Amino acid sequence: VTGTPQFDDELFEEIEEVLIASDCGLETAAHLTGRLREVCEERKTMKATEVVEIIKEQMIVMLNGGSAPVDAVIDVTPKVYLFVGVNGTGKTTSIGKIGEHFRSAGKSVLFAACDTFRAAAREQLQIWADRSGADLVSGDDGSDPAAVAFDAVNAAKARGRDVVLIDTAGRLHTKHNLMEELKKISRAVDKALPGAPHETLLVLDATTGQNGVSQAESFGDAVGLTGLILTKLDGTAKGGIILGIRQRFGVPVSWIGVGEKIDDLETFDSREFIEALFA
Amino acid sequence: SLGDRLDGVFKSLRGQGRLSEENIKDALKEVRRAFLEADVNYKVAKKFVAGVTEESLGEKVLTSVTPGQLIIKIVHDKLVELLGGQSRELAYNPRGITVWMMVGLQGSGKTTGCAKLGLRAKRAGRKPLLVAADIYRPAAKDQLRVLGKALDIPVFTTDDDAVRIAGQGLAYAKENEIDLVILDTAGRLHIDEELMGELQQMKKAVRPTEIMFVADAMTGQDAVKSADAFHQALGIDGVMLTKIDGDARGGAALSILEVTGRPIKFLGIGEKPADLEVFHPSRLASRILG
Ligand SMILES: Nc1nc2c(ncn2[C@@H]2O[C@H](COP(=O)(O)OP(=O)(O)OP(=O)(O)O)[C@@H](O)[C@H]2O)c(=O)[nH]1
Ligand SMILES: Nc1nc2c(ncn2[C@@H]2O[C@H](COP(=O)(O)OP(=O)(O)OP(=O)(O)O)[C@@H](O)[C@H]2O)c(=O)[nH]1
Ligand SMILES: [Mg+2]
Ligand SMILES: [Mg+2]
């Protein structure tokens, strides 16, 4: 007999279910509710609303801190962003949006079309370049994406562009040769501009389940990640996998995608995200 | 693996002769854990475990020297039964043009799926036509055209609204002795009333023989919501589960099946048109159980 009222157990179970339903994963959900119980016992918190506020704070703390904001200005030009991720998550579309974001901040942008594999990938990125006023450097279909990346960074240097956004083909992290290709792209970028890419962003679909964690692990091991872009948050999925990713690999979320149009990009706000998770 | 975990649950009880109800319930908790880790929706997981509890509490298990293996067998068999319970053949129209309509969330693999089904039908001696009814995604028509060209399969494109394109594609097929239309639609959110309405209108216009819900194998808990909404709006006939060549456990498959009652018919096992497999329930069952 612990002296805590019956309803506490039910409340903690309900909270754990909200976390699981939001794709936080069993481990993260158990960790959070375990800590929550301790805190509530220490503080003798009984009211459900207070308990929920405590866990929200816990989760916001879990997501905060870490690296400098991803569009921080650095003293190197151009600043190079490499976009990576599995198939269909929204890399190409996010580049279009981010290109517009930088243009409206007064920066000149160059897109590198390093998806040389997928049907009409270059055409898709060209449309986004036209919409956002960015330059586009591309290669022929089937050409070496690392060579295109190398050329693009050099072109940006020559033309004095502020930002390079590199689009890569979607690839499953389980495909060894494709992950090797990605490493080669990153090395080629570094060759063209030592220290680049300055940001390597994993584009994750908010509907992704626990596989998102192994995606972050594999892409992180291969090329190192400086941030996540969580897309399709305009849907009903909550994107809770970012908590586990933050906890295990320390990778923060930089931007979120909230639609298919050029303006549907927002800077990640942990409080808004957690409030939406519990909504 | 689940097998190791169940062994762990029962190891400490060895030599007890007969297990208790509590022991079995602990073992079933491990089954639920495995399902959640595999991205099965938590409500679907609960329902499934409830469904196997009675058999797991039977005499056979309580007195078994290998209760863990027996429980896995009960769970595995039930999974296979659920996943594989229905025919996995695509419907053909017995008199007239067959129309397959591909629907689903953004990026799930519909356009690639059109090429895959087109190649399969062509190899089976059919004359497919791919119809590009995605008017929103940049270069969507180009994408389908490039795919069709590589397979020597005709692609119908025109400038109009999506519903009219679908209708005109069907008319074109009729005029050109084509017996199969594979209709590519734009990815959309199940909560987008306007775009879901567009699909309903398209269905009315072309009367599809088969509406195929294309879903990503790595989808998490949300799979139930989107599948349910598409099914309520359109009445889907079958499911194509894509990107199964990754290492996602694929629990979304069970969630989708549970909420729609419709069978998984095909698996996308890669990015090329040939990367299509008819669905095998036992393989996916083992994968979900880990
Ligand atoms: N609703 C919604 N859809 C999005 C969002 N971001 C991208 N999409 C859609 O998702 C689909 C895939 O986007 P792409 O940009 O082609 O994805 P990708 O990662 O480049 O795909 P691959 O290059 O094939 O790996 C498109 O239909 C986009 O319009 C978002 O934030 N919200
Ligand atoms: N590895 C793998 N990739 C796949 C599979 N199916 C599709 N893809 C890839 O997933 C990405 C998205 O495929 P699309 O066919 O463009 O998806 P979609 O549903 O038409 O996308 P939207 O029209 O934007 O909604 C592409 O990079 C495809 O090559 C599959 O079974 N395995
Ligand atoms: Mg792309
Ligand atoms: Mg498409």
Side-chain angles (χ1 to χ4, degrees):
Chain A
V1 178
T2 60
T4 41
Q6 185 68 31
F7 109 99
D8 267 2
D9 262 7
E10 261 190 59
L11 177 62
F12 289 118
E13 274 184 32
E14 263 178 58
I15 290 177
E16 193 169 28
E17 271 192 356
V18 168
L19 298 180
I20 290 174
S22 308
D23 287 314
C24 292
L26 270 179
E27 221 182 280
T28 301
H31 167 86
L32 282 167
T33 40
R35 271 292 297 145
L36 177 66
R37 277 193 125 98
E38 294 174 6
V39 170
C40 290
E41 284 175 9
E42 278 170 36
R43 299 189 202 171
K44 311 247 184 296
T45 313
M46 297 306 177
K47 277 178 112 218
T49 46
E50 287 179 26
V51 173
V52 173
E53 277 317 304
I54 292 172
I55 192 160
K56 282 185 189 173
E57 281 307 321
Q58 265 181 291
M59 291 165 79
I60 290 170
V61 165
M62 197 184 243
L63 288 173
N64 279 341
S67 57
V70 74
D71 54 358
V73 175
I74 59 172
D75 51 11
V76 180
T77 321
K79 186 170 179 186
V80 180
Y81 295 75
L82 179 66
F83 293 81
V84 304
V86 303
N87 307 72
T89 56
K91 298 175 290 302
T92 306
T93 307
S94 298
I95 286 173
K97 297 172 183 175
I98 294 167
E100 172 63 16
H101 162 82
F102 279 122
R103 188 200 61 84
S104 61
K107 301 266 186 299
S108 59
V109 183
L110 186 142
F111 290 173
C114 295
D115 179 353
T116 57
F117 167 76
R118 219 206 61 219
R122 178 192 45 238
E123 285 74 8
Q124 183 188 9
L125 191 62
Q126 180 68 65
I127 291 172
W128 284 110
D130 297 342
R131 286 178 180 175
S132 61
D135 284 0
L136 181 83
V137 167
S138 62
D140 299 325
D141 290 341
S143 60
D144 178 8
V148 176
F150 184 81
D151 291 347
V153 175
N154 280 325
K157 282 160 68 183
R159 300 178 203 176
R161 296 288 173 261
D162 298 315
V163 175
V164 178
L165 305 181
I166 304 179
D167 192 14
T168 62
R171 69 202 66 221
L172 295 183
H173 50 290
T174 46
K175 312 231 159 148
H176 176 77
N177 58 326
L178 295 183
M179 296 305 282
E180 288 302 305
E181 177 188 84
L182 193 59
K183 291 182 192 172
K184 191 161 171 260
I185 294 173
S186 190
R187 283 198 302 271
V189 168
D190 180 59
K191 261 218 198 82
L193 180 63
H198 308 102
E199 300 279 351
T200 300
L201 302 171
L202 176 67
V203 182
L204 270 178
D205 188 324
T207 63
T208 308
Q210 295 312 300
N211 195 250
V213 177
S214 76
Q215 291 173 26
E217 183 169 26
S218 301
F219 279 94
D221 285 346
V223 287
L225 300 175
T226 60
L228 303 178
I229 296 177
L230 190 64
T231 61
K232 309 180 196 173
L233 268 177
D234 46 318
T236 51
K238 303 287 184 171
I241 45 167
I242 61 162
L243 286 149
I245 291 173
R246 179 86 178 124
Q247 231 200 332
R248 288 177 56 178
F249 312 117
V251 190
V253 180
S254 52
W255 282 295
I256 60 174
V258 293
E260 302 190 68
K261 304 203 282 313
I262 204 163
D263 296 323
D264 293 330
L265 179 81
E266 288 175 11
T267 305
F268 179 70
D269 180 299
S270 55
R271 172 158 297 278
E272 282 185 22
F273 177 83
I274 295 299
E275 291 294 342
L277 197 144
F278 279 91
Chain B
S1 75
L2 179 60
D4 299 334
R5 288 202 208 146
L6 292 185
D7 286 346
V9 166
F10 293 119
K11 197 157 88 244
S12 53
L13 309 168
R14 203 145 283 167
Q16 216 169 271
R18 182 195 178 77
L19 299 167
S20 71
E21 240 186 59
E22 272 311 301
N23 301 145
I24 301 299
K25 296 248 168 99
D26 285 343
L28 289 178
K29 282 207 185 97
E30 287 305 318
V31 173
R32 175 180 167 269
R33 280 179 64 89
F35 271 27
L36 291 178
E37 286 170 2
D39 290 323
V40 176
N41 179 271
Y42 75 103
K43 289 191 190 132
V44 174
K46 216 181 215 167
K47 178 165 184 213
F48 183 96
V49 168
V52 296
T53 300
E54 188 177 352
E55 191 177 354
S56 305
L57 290 174
E59 270 306 297
K60 203 155 172 252
V61 183
L62 293 174
T63 55
S64 166
V65 291
T66 54
Q69 288 185 28
L70 265 191
I71 289 182
I72 290 199
K73 176 140 190 3
I74 291 170
V75 169
H76 184 272
D77 289 355
K78 171 115 199 217
L79 249 186
V80 172
E81 182 194 338
L82 284 174
L83 291 172
Q86 303 174 59
S87 154
R88 269 150 276 153
E89 269 318 307
L90 271 177
Y92 277 96
N93 191 345
R95 34 194 151 66
I97 297 192
T98 297
V99 179
W100 296 336
M101 183 172 156
M102 311 289 274
V103 303
L105 296 176
Q106 290 90 345
S108 63
K110 299 173 290 300
T111 305
T112 313
C114 288
K116 290 176 178 178
L117 289 180
L119 177 62
R120 185 164 198 264
K122 187 171 182 206
R123 282 179 175 167
R126 301 273 171 168
K127 292 211 203 68
L129 171 75
L130 308 182
V131 175
D134 177 353
I135 60 172
Y136 308 104
R137 172 176 159 142
K141 294 182 192 166
D142 294 312
Q143 186 185 5
L144 200 62
R145 257 196 228 110
V146 169
L147 288 172
K149 184 146 181 276
L151 298 173
D152 193 26
I153 293 178
V155 179
F156 179 84
T157 64
T158 189
D159 281 313
D160 214 325
D161 69 47
V163 177
R164 288 219 189 83
I165 294 174
Q168 289 177 39
L170 184 57
Y172 177 90
K174 290 193 177 133
E175 294 161 14
N176 288 279
E177 318 235 317
I178 285 167
D179 60 5
L180 168 64
V181 166
I182 302 175
L183 186 52
D184 189 23
T185 69
R188 66 204 63 213
L189 295 178
H190 50 290
I191 52 172
D192 187 325
E193 290 190 5
E194 191 177 338
L195 285 184
M196 292 304 285
E198 177 188 90
L199 280 184
Q200 289 173 322
Q201 286 180 37
M202 200 182 286
K203 179 184 177 184
K204 278 208 195 88
V206 299
R207 307 187 163 281
T209 325
E210 179 106 22
I211 297 181
M212 176 128 309
F213 181 60
V214 181
D216 195 321
M218 61 184 98
T219 311
Q221 298 289 309
D222 197 58
V224 162
K225 290 211 185 91
S226 47
D228 186 39
F230 272 84
H231 190 48
Q232 294 295 334
L234 300 170
I236 65 179
D237 296 297
V239 178
M240 178 186 291
L241 198 65
T242 62
K243 309 176 203 171
I244 204 85
D245 45 318
D247 59 359
R249 296 267 291 277
L254 184 61
S255 308
I256 293 170
L257 174 84
E258 173 64 29
V259 78
T260 65
R262 305 308 302 161
I264 299 170
K265 299 201 173 183
F266 291 101
L267 297 178
I269 57 167
E271 295 193 66
K272 302 201 217 66
D275 295 331
L276 183 74
E277 244 180 35
V278 173
F279 171 62
H280 272 297
S282 54
R283 267 190 245 151
L284 188 61
S286 306
R287 180 171 174 146
I288 290 175
L289 290 177

